[in-house]
Amino acid sequence: GGYTVRNVARCWAYETSVVLGEELAEELPWNDYYEYFAPDFNLHVAPSATMENANTRQYLETVRQQVFENLRMLQGAPGVQMHAVPADPEVVAPEEDPDVRSLGGTLEHPAEHYDGEERGPVG
């Protein structure tokens, strides 16, 4: 319980900033969702002096353990193949032109024999 549109918007804004490695100012700039941060338009909510935290350490630890157990039971998506991440994904190796034949190296197998002729590597 305790979810409100305003607090969920704050939570997602904060979580997104953490993932992106960006630090948000306490006072949020105007945006399309500004009204969700009313009445003070700050990122964090000041705890209410009249509201008591009824969560015990034992209860929180039990919930934490249950979450980890549930995560352990999850299986990966079937049929999804893992691929190695390139060292530098921004650098793409140039593709060879399929219409141009490489002339490097030997054109003939070295075991080929021709009477009276000696052929070597081209290039």
Side-chain angles (χ1 to χ4, degrees):
Y3 294 99
T4 66
V5 171
R6 291 179 178 134
N7 289 342
V8 171
R10 285 180 170 88
C11 180
W12 278 105
Y14 177 72
E15 292 292 327
T16 303
S17 74
V18 170
V19 168
L20 295 175
E22 297 289 329
E23 191 163 329
L24 296 179
E26 180 63 22
E27 187 174 312
L28 297 172
W30 188 90
N31 60 69
D32 291 340
Y33 304 98
Y34 196 65
E35 68 274 4
Y36 288 111
F37 297 95
D40 58 3
F41 305 100
N42 288 335
L43 180 61
H44 297 95
V45 178
S48 172
T50 60
M51 187 180 289
E52 179 184 340
N53 183 356
N55 297 311
T56 65
R57 290 265 180 215
Q58 182 181 1
Y59 171 74
L60 293 175
E61 183 60 29
T62 302
V63 170
R64 183 176 157 275
Q65 288 299 323
Q66 186 62 50
V67 167
F68 285 141
E69 183 64 22
N70 290 343
L71 289 173
R72 190 178 67 78
M73 298 300 230
L74 290 177
Q75 295 181 6
V80 176
Q81 187 175 10
M82 299 298 289
H83 295 281
V85 177
D88 189 357
E90 296 296 320
V91 177
V92 179
E95 292 185 25
E96 294 183 24
D97 186 351
D99 296 327
V100 175
R101 180 177 229 172
S102 172
L103 296 179
T106 304
L107 293 178
E108 299 169 344
H109 190 275
E112 293 291 326
H113 177 71
Y114 295 93
D115 290 334
E117 285 184 57
E118 194 173 311
R119 299 192 183 205
V122 175

